[in-house]
Amino acid sequence: MFQKILTSALFAGFCTGLIAAALQIVFVQPVLLHAELYEGGELAHFATPPASAHPELPGFEPVRDGLSILFSALIYVGYGLMLVACMGFAAMRGAVIDARRGIVWGIAGFVALHFAPAFSLPPEVPGVAAADLVARQVWWWGTVAASATGLALIGFGRGWPAWGAAILLLLAPHVIGAPHPDSFAGPVPPEIAAQFAARALGTGLAAWSILGLLAGYFWQRESATA
Amino acid sequence: MSTLAQSNVVSTILPFVAAMLIGLGIITLAGHVQAAALHDAAHDVRHATGFPCH
């Protein structure tokens, strides 16, 4: 069983990591590099004359972007292991897992690990003001745990006690609130920060859908040959 | 008998728990640990994935 989980998760996670890295390098990295020009002081918001919105940005950087590809693959293998562990457990209890249903699993993973934390702690461009890192990490993990449990209760719970608990678990992290800084001091224009958050979430949704699809596909294939 | 049933439950659930823990370990290491070398190498991906960074 463990080998089956490992095989499905490694294949699905590694392929997804490469696709996610490509999406990030094309769509997210230019926004991040643009923000770093403000973070480093090469450009200034409200300067006279105003800074161009289309500065020259570095192209593909082998070492920096190579490391990003490596870590993207690693992170999606990690996500893949968590997703396939949940899928396999559900399959053992009678759920049908295939590529099409896998997409729904992937979107649920996106909501639990990307979207729910981002709802109160949006993806940050470099240079933004932020609260204490450890406090944000604790809130991030708590939100992920609460949201994942809530989604599982919606998907597999029976009746209103389970669904009511799910709603409370999904709402609680945001009612409690994420740690935010006492004052805002980010040098990066809001236009760039907004685009960064949207792009980070969009690539995340695409990548998680692909992860779910591939995890479902490989799980079914492994089950057929086993 | 109940010990046998219990050990069956444990050995049935163990692979799922193990995979989940390894996954969590990878995400912690790649996304959250602040050791300088790890932070710098994973920097862009951490931002793009929405992990709290810095």
Side-chain angles (χ1 to χ4, degrees), chain A residues 131-177:
Chain A
D132 175 57
L133 177 70
V134 174
R136 281 181 293 142
Q137 288 182 334
V138 168
W139 184 88
W140 189 94
W141 279 110
T143 303
V144 166
S147 308
T149 311
L151 289 174
L153 283 172
I154 289 177
F156 298 101
R158 299 262 181 273
W160 274 106
W163 299 329
I167 292 168
L168 288 179
L169 281 168
L170 287 167
L171 288 176
H174 309 288
V175 174
I176 294 167

Side-chain angles (χ1 to χ4, degrees), chain A residues 13-26 29 59-78, chain B residues 26 30 40-46 48-49:
Chain A
F14 188 74
C15 296
T16 307
L18 297 184
I19 297 169
L23 288 171
Q24 282 173 6
I25 285 168
V26 173
Q29 192 70 6
F60 185 83
E61 295 170 74
V63 175
R64 182 172 179 172
D65 292 334
L67 281 168
S68 291
I69 295 170
L70 191 74
F71 272 92
S72 179
L74 192 63
I75 283 175
Y76 277 93
V77 165
Chain B
I26 291 175
D40 293 349
H43 175 267
D44 296 355
V45 178
R46 286 184 179 189
T49 315

Side-chain angles (χ1 to χ4, degrees), chain A residues 74-93:
Chain A
L74 192 63
I75 283 175
Y76 277 93
V77 165
Y79 287 156
L81 280 163
M82 292 158 73
L83 186 64
V84 174
C86 295
M87 279 178 163
F89 186 68
M92 191 181 71
R93 294 171 58 98

Side-chain angles (χ1 to χ4, degrees), chain A residues 31-33 35-36 38-39 64 124-129 186-188 196, chain B residues 43-44 47 54:
Chain A
V31 188
L32 187 142
L33 292 173
E36 281 188 345
Y38 287 91
E39 185 192 22
R64 182 172 179 172
E124 301 158 353
V125 279
V128 299
V188 179
F196 183 84
Chain B
H43 175 267
D44 296 355
H47 275 282
H54 301 290

